[in-house]
Amino acid sequence: QVQLVESGGGLVQAGGSLRLSCAASGRTFSTYAMGWFRQAPGKEREFVAAISLGGGNTYYADSVKGRFTISRDNAKNTVYLQMNSLKPEDTAVYYCAADRRPYQSIFIATTPDEYDYWGQGTQVTVSS
């Protein structure tokens, strides 16, 4: 089992930046592909970005491509989401999630039901 704890959310002005972190418990972090999702009030949870086991494969939602960067440090059991050029429409609770994958898999899942474990979320608010 994996426990995930997000941090780094907050209030920022439009055009600003934030870096989210997600720390995972346990010794099997490198066997999980990792994803970031977000959920705004009254909306469904949506995919933001994901990264494969070794970090060599990444995928982004069109809405954040070119502005957000996902990365991971398997030695620190942590995945990051660097968010630049933030917009008010990026306001949401951001969740990290873990998807168990076979050794050396480069597969990336983009739907919530493909992920096995979830963090509690961190609020990101972008003011105009």
Side-chain angles (χ1 to χ4, degrees), residues 35-102:
W36 286 96
F37 290 76
R38 65 187 182 187
Q39 189 166 17
K43 295 188 176 181
E44 293 187 352
R45 192 167 296 190
E46 66 172 355
F47 172 77
V48 175
I51 189 166
S52 58
L53 301 182
N57 193 22
T58 58
Y59 189 74
Y60 298 91
D62 288 343
S63 58
V64 307
K65 200 172 296 183
R67 300 188 298 123
F68 291 11
T69 302
I70 188 171
S71 61
R72 66 188 296 162
D73 185 338
N74 285 350
K76 295 183 178 180
N77 283 11
T78 302
V79 62
Y80 306 96
L81 186 68
Q82 177 66 44
M83 305 186 295
N84 299 329
S85 303
L86 283 161
K87 305 175 181 180
E89 51 264 43
D90 294 319
T91 295
V93 177
Y94 282 71
Y95 299 89
C96 72
D99 172 29
R100 186 69 182 264
R101 286 290 157 188

Side-chain angles (χ1 to χ4, degrees), residues 5 8 20 35 43 61 125:
V5 179
L20 305 184
K43 295 188 176 181
T125 303

Side-chain angles (χ1 to χ4, degrees), residues 27-33 52-55 72 74 99-107:
R27 303 179 182 178
T28 59
F29 181 69
S30 61
T31 65
Y32 290 87
S52 58
L53 301 182
R72 66 188 296 162
N74 285 350
D99 172 29
R100 186 69 182 264
R101 286 290 157 188
Y103 179 62
Q104 293 186 327
S105 170
I106 62 171
F107 182 81

